[in-house]
Amino acid sequence: MTGPAVREATYQAPPNIALVKYWGVRDPALGLPFNSSLSVTLDRLRSRTTVRFDAGLTDDAVELNGVPAGPKERAAVVALLDRVRERAQLSWRARVRSENNFPTASGLASSASGFAALAGAASAAAGLGLSDRALSQLARFGSGSASRSIFGGFVEWRAGARPDGRDCYARELYPPGHWPELVDVVAMIEDAPQKEVRSSVAMQTSVRTSPEYARRIGDIPDRIARMRRAIRDRDPDALFPIVMDECDSFRTVCETTRPPLDYLTGASRAVLAEVRALNRAAGRPVAAYTHDAGAHVHVFTTRPHLRTVRGRIDATPGVGSTLLVRPGPGARALPSRGGRPR
Ligand code: PMV
């Protein structure tokens, strides 16, 4: 008897925003970071990816949002498929279709959601049956931050200390409903420039050239410990200053990288200034800004301050719109339908 000559699975995964950033790898071959990172998984936004291994294909075919992937994206997808094939002892090529429900080049961490969904779909289609922890270890080979998108809510990606990377994985710290008052107002910056250099390349330039890098790495364990306590206690007064300190530290490393990495526009900087002004006027931290390697700014606040904070961000020149997101669930399998994400 012969089995079917195709194996297919579909996964959906969300993006996440790092409150403590991953920036730099100590072992490029294993994708092991220098520092642990901590993030919030975002609701409303998601990538859906179907992987169909097919004995009849002669090459991998990768489609992103309905069009064939460019050479760099395709190479990254194929590299992850190769890892899965090697583990599953499978030689079949695959058709990959992935769709985001948000603009891919918008700087909203589509690599995190995309590679988390790809890791889930590819490993399920290949019959690997991985745990979420193992899935987070696989997803990081596509994009480090993808390791955190496997889980929902508040997530820590532990850098670990072992050279073989077995203690390097992501895990949920608190589920999505842990802190219902916490909201994230995303300031979508008009004319946000496209990234010129992939984060995975840019961060290694920082490791090599930024005189601030070592200090940042030294500061992170204590920052993560304090942040975890603040999240546990649902304490914005404790959390928000640490979030902004961390973001400032990340930006300082970027600015002191040679050549400098400048991800913000004037409008992004105006949003940071608005948040500082709001906090000064309130006499306590009512909001916290953070940003990744892109121009959009995430502004965390709590429900009592949402109207004021969102109003001020919306009114900032150069902010095209704001998007309200909350901590959401992690990656999950979906039923597949004829090779198309549902
Ligand atoms: O996962 P990558 O390779 O796209 O790098 C992510 C880098 C940051 O978004 C700036 C930080 C982070 O931890 O998400």
Side-chain angles (χ1 to χ4, degrees):
M1 209 176 90
T2 51
V6 295
R7 292 195 202 166
E8 179 183 296
T10 299
Y11 247 74
Q12 160 171 321
N16 67 79
I17 175 70
L19 302 184
V20 174
K21 317 289 174 190
Y22 146 61
W23 198 249
V25 292
R26 64 179 201 269
D27 182 329
L30 294 179
L32 304 177
F34 272 110
N35 65 278
S36 299
S37 55
L38 197 158
S39 59
V40 179
T41 298
L42 306 177
D43 71 356
R44 296 185 57 190
L45 311 174
R46 51 102 188 130
S47 299
R48 268 183 196 167
T49 303
T50 295
V51 174
R52 184 182 171 93
F53 289 108
D54 185 334
L57 289 175
T58 54
D59 201 1
D60 294 316
V62 182
E63 195 181 277
L64 301 178
N65 293 308
V67 293
K72 279 189 194 158
E73 287 86 2
R74 186 180 184 283
V77 169
V78 169
L80 200 76
L81 291 174
D82 284 341
R83 273 181 197 280
V84 169
R85 280 190 282 249
E86 195 188 318
R87 277 204 219 179
Q89 301 280 295
L90 184 70
S91 60
W92 298 353
R93 302 292 103 186
R95 178 176 297 281
V96 177
R97 289 195 173 106
S98 188
E99 287 167 11
N100 297 332
N101 71 345
F102 56 96
T104 300
S106 67
L108 284 174
S110 60
S111 66
S113 56
F115 282 111
L118 176 67
S123 59
L128 284 180
L130 300 182
S131 66
D132 281 352
R133 177 178 290 190
L135 215 46
S136 82
Q137 292 178 311
L138 173 65
R140 77 162 183 263
F141 288 105
S143 153
S145 53
S147 65
R148 299 185 309 243
S149 278
I150 299 299
F151 296 95
F154 300 82
V155 181
E156 184 179 13
W157 174 20
R158 299 164 68 103
R162 293 177 56 123
D164 65 7
R166 276 173 60 189
D167 56 354
C168 174
Y169 53 82
R171 62 182 186 140
E172 180 192 278
L173 293 176
Y174 296 99
H178 168 71
W179 190 351
E181 291 281 281
L182 188 73
V183 289
D184 173 12
V185 179
V186 190
M188 303 294 301
I189 303 298
E190 278 172 355
D191 307 323
Q194 295 267 354
K195 236 186 257 188
E196 282 167 26
V197 184
R198 285 188 63 165
S199 292
S200 54
V201 175
M203 62 180 70
Q204 293 309 87
T205 312
S206 293
V207 173
R208 280 198 313 276
T209 65
S210 169
E212 299 294 327
Y213 190 80
R215 187 191 357 194
R216 168 175 165 71
I217 294 301
D219 286 346
I220 284 182
D222 173 61
R223 205 174 270 153
I224 289 194
R226 287 186 294 127
M227 207 178 262
R228 285 175 54 168
R229 282 195 294 274
I231 293 168
R232 179 196 65 196
D233 299 341
R234 303 181 187 88
D235 181 355
D237 295 79
L239 179 65
F240 289 175
I242 317 171
V243 169
M244 291 186 281
D245 280 353
E246 159 61 15
C247 177
D248 294 346
S249 146
F250 165 63
R251 195 170 54 259
T252 300
V253 163
C254 291
E255 286 168 356
T256 54
T257 295
R258 292 294 171 261
L261 301 164
D262 185 7
Y263 295 112
L264 302 187
T265 67
S268 319
R269 291 178 192 279
V271 172
L272 308 191
E274 278 301 330
V275 172
R276 291 189 193 106
L278 275 160
N279 289 341
R280 257 196 318 274
R284 53 174 283 247
V286 293
Y289 57 72
T290 192
H291 58 79
D292 277 344
H296 306 306
V297 181
H298 293 248
V299 179
F300 282 87
T301 188
T302 50
R303 266 188 240 219
H305 303 286
L306 176 58
R307 261 178 85 98
T308 314
V309 170
R310 193 174 191 185
R312 286 282 284 274
I313 307 298
D314 267 324
T316 307
V319 173
S321 60
T322 52
L323 183 71
L324 187 62
V325 288
R326 294 184 169 80
R332 67 183 169 98
L334 296 177
S336 278
R337 266 196 208 149
R340 285 250 158 229
R342 302 174 63 232

